[in-house]
Amino acid sequence: MSAEAIRVDRVRRVYDIGTGGSLTALDDVSLTISAGTFVSVIGPSGCGKSTLLRVIAGLEQPDGGAVHVGGVTPAQAAEHKMLGLVPQTPALLPWLSVLKNVSLPAKVNRSAGRKRRAAAGTGAPDMVELLRKAGLHDVMHKLPSQISGGMQQRAAIVRAFGLHPDVLLMDEPFSALDEFTRESLQEQLLDLWDELKATVLFVTHSVSEAVRLSDKIVVMAPYPGRIIDVLDIDLPRPRGQAILKTAHFHHYEDLVRDRLRGAFQGAAS
Ligand SMILES: Nc1ncnc2c1ncn2[C@@H]1O[C@H](COP(=O)(O)OP(=O)(O)OP(=O)(O)O)[C@@H](O)[C@H]1O
């Protein structure tokens, strides 16, 4: 894996919206993300955050420009299991226990996982241990329907980390959760990220979530969807609950809100 985990070069994505009209969801978007960093994308609804994630994941082709993940195309990265994706809703299989759900991708992709771990010099992640770290040890034999939404989302995150992806793409994974569950999941996500050393690209609408999690925050604006700023978040790690009350943290929240205000004004005019 090169030091450059994700490279987005002048990407354009235009949707056909019927009766001859079109909508530019991404206009000349360029972004470089270093390996092992945590980067959030924030911006008003419709600015192209999910489209950007889908293009990086290889789920959609750009209409212009190029995307590379670890130096290869998204399709090649997906084939080699370099990419993981955590959607807004956990999408666990309802008939399998939590443990079987999180273990399934590693079983299905056994040989790809073995090759990649050998290359990285790491062993197979111990799913029971990961579940314990995520606070799910006591419920690992339960079905998804028998645990809370927050626990289901935690399981989805453990499942995504289980393949040891180089790059993990997360699309508002905590949006349906209450604030306290959200804060505790942020902490667990940071612990897993720190241990498993993936590059994370994380879409959120929450300013404080973006500041707490990220090394960099990408601010986007809509019509057309574009990047208007990339902010460095120079806060110490680990970032436990206490950091949320510091002046330094509030300073970054204000900075992001200022930049977002510009994006929202643009969206309204
Ligand atoms: N398949 C599609 N066909 C037509 N238009 C689309 C399609 N997918 C997305 N769009 C439009 O492209 C724009 C960007 O959508 P996208 O979902 O990427 O925005 P977003 O920033 O993730 O929004 P939100 O915060 O509401 O999830 C929006 O105007 C959306 O309506």
Side-chain angles (χ1 to χ4, degrees):
M1 179 99 188
S2 63
E4 200 175 85
I6 301 174
R7 186 180 186 88
V8 177
D9 252 331
R10 311 205 63 179
V11 160
R12 187 174 165 78
R13 180 75 180 108
V14 182
Y15 291 115
D16 181 352
I17 52 170
T19 61
S22 65
L23 187 145
T24 305
L26 295 175
D27 186 30
D28 201 17
V29 168
S30 294
L31 179 67
T32 304
I33 298 180
S34 306
T37 56
F38 200 119
V39 177
S40 290
V41 184
I42 198 164
S45 192
C47 68
K49 303 180 293 295
S50 298
T51 304
L52 178 61
L53 235 63
R54 288 197 299 271
V55 167
I56 294 172
L59 299 173
E60 284 187 29
Q61 293 304 312
D63 296 293
V67 176
H68 289 94
V69 177
V72 299
T73 65
Q76 289 166 328
E79 193 184 324
H80 293 109
K81 310 297 168 207
M82 293 158 69
L83 269 170
L85 186 63
V86 179
Q88 251 171 31
T89 49
L92 300 173
L93 297 174
W95 59 89
L96 290 183
S97 70
V98 169
L99 179 59
K100 285 192 173 145
N101 257 292
V102 301
S103 306
L104 190 66
K107 270 199 186 121
V108 172
N109 298 291
R110 202 172 296 213
S111 72
R114 241 195 328 259
K115 269 188 229 154
R116 291 182 21 65
R117 287 194 300 271
T122 54
D126 176 346
M127 300 314 286
V128 173
E129 179 57 15
L130 285 186
L131 285 172
R132 193 189 58 71
K133 289 208 167 96
L136 293 171
H137 191 261
D138 292 345
V139 298
M140 68 180 175
H141 298 302
K142 293 197 184 236
L143 295 173
S145 60
Q146 297 171 312
I147 62 174
S148 70
M151 285 177 168
Q152 290 182 31
Q153 197 52 284
R154 255 182 276 174
I157 291 168
V158 168
R159 180 181 55 185
F161 272 113
L163 269 180
H164 226 306
D166 295 316
V167 171
L168 193 55
L169 305 172
M170 306 182 82
D171 196 355
E172 296 188 59
F174 305 149
S175 61
L177 306 172
D178 66 79
E179 200 175 333
F180 292 107
T181 308
R182 212 173 161 132
E183 282 178 7
S184 108
L185 257 69
Q186 289 164 6
E187 199 150 358
Q188 281 159 349
L189 172 60
L190 286 176
D191 285 348
L192 283 172
W193 169 69
D194 189 42
E195 182 169 333
L196 298 171
K197 312 279 178 231
T199 306
V200 177
L201 187 59
F202 187 97
V203 169
T204 182
H205 276 279
S206 161
V207 172
S208 68
E209 183 164 272
V211 172
R212 182 178 190 186
L213 296 173
S214 313
D215 297 307
K216 280 182 197 291
I217 299 179
V218 177
V219 184
M220 293 185 71
Y223 314 119
R226 64 202 188 279
I227 293 176
I228 56 167
D229 222 329
V230 179
L231 302 167
D232 286 310
I233 306 300
D234 189 14
L235 287 170
R237 294 188 187 271
R239 298 183 188 166
Q241 295 285 338
I243 204 161
L244 302 176
K245 294 185 179 151
T246 62
H248 207 176
F249 190 87
H250 294 314
H251 156 78
Y252 279 116
E253 280 185 316
D254 289 345
L255 197 65
V256 176
R257 278 205 188 92
D258 264 1
R259 301 298 202 271
L260 270 178
R261 210 161 286 130
F264 274 95
Q265 273 158 6
S269 59

